[in-house]
Amino acid sequence: MPDMDEMKEGKKYYTDVPQKTEGFFLKGSNSLDWGMKNRLARIFNPKSGRTVMLAVDHGYFQGPTTGLERIDINILPLVPYADTLMLTRGILRSIVPPSIGRNQHT
């Protein structure tokens, strides 16, 4: 039986060995839950800990914005230089090709 006093191996809890946890590359984010770390890791560059965010969602909040009417002409050429896009689902589904939506950090 595992509860017998003679079986000391079953009661060894390794309290003398500290638990190892991997640090997270983004400063101040080590204590966040896995889901938030997962999302942040898809936005921030793991090598530098920095990001370039391209915000194109102005029309959602402010209405049509001069110069942003043609996302396909004005914004898509800038996408290779950005780590993440901030845009509406409508723009994403209708204008941004699926190949651009892949994580570029790998």
Side-chain angles (χ1 to χ4, degrees):
M1 284 194 158
D3 295 337
M4 294 175 53
D5 288 332
E6 294 87 31
M7 298 189 74
K8 301 291 183 188
E9 189 65 31
K11 295 185 181 207
K12 188 172 182 181
Y13 299 116
Y14 300 100
T15 57
D16 57 331
V17 179
Q19 183 173 340
K20 294 180 184 179
T21 57
E22 283 190 34
F24 191 62
F25 69 91
L26 193 58
K27 184 177 180 181
S29 302
N30 197 35
S31 62
L32 295 174
D33 287 335
W34 179 88
M36 183 60 79
K37 286 181 184 179
N38 182 33
R39 288 186 288 280
L40 288 173
R42 293 166 54 190
I43 295 173
F44 286 85
N45 187 323
K47 294 177 185 169
S48 67
R50 297 178 180 202
T51 188
V52 175
M53 294 182 184
L54 181 55
V56 191
D57 58 352
H58 298 80
Y60 182 73
F61 298 105
Q62 300 171 337
T65 305
T66 304
L68 293 179
E69 298 91 358
R70 292 293 306 268
I71 303 294
D72 59 331
I73 295 173
N74 297 326
I75 301 300
L76 286 185
L78 302 174
V79 170
Y81 304 102
D83 294 313
T84 187
L85 297 173
M86 299 170 74
L87 42 76
T88 62
R89 286 184 289 174
I91 293 173
L92 179 65
R93 291 176 180 164
S94 62
I95 298 172
V96 179
S99 60
I100 290 180
R102 303 281 183 245
N103 189 346
Q104 303 295 319
H105 293 306
T106 56

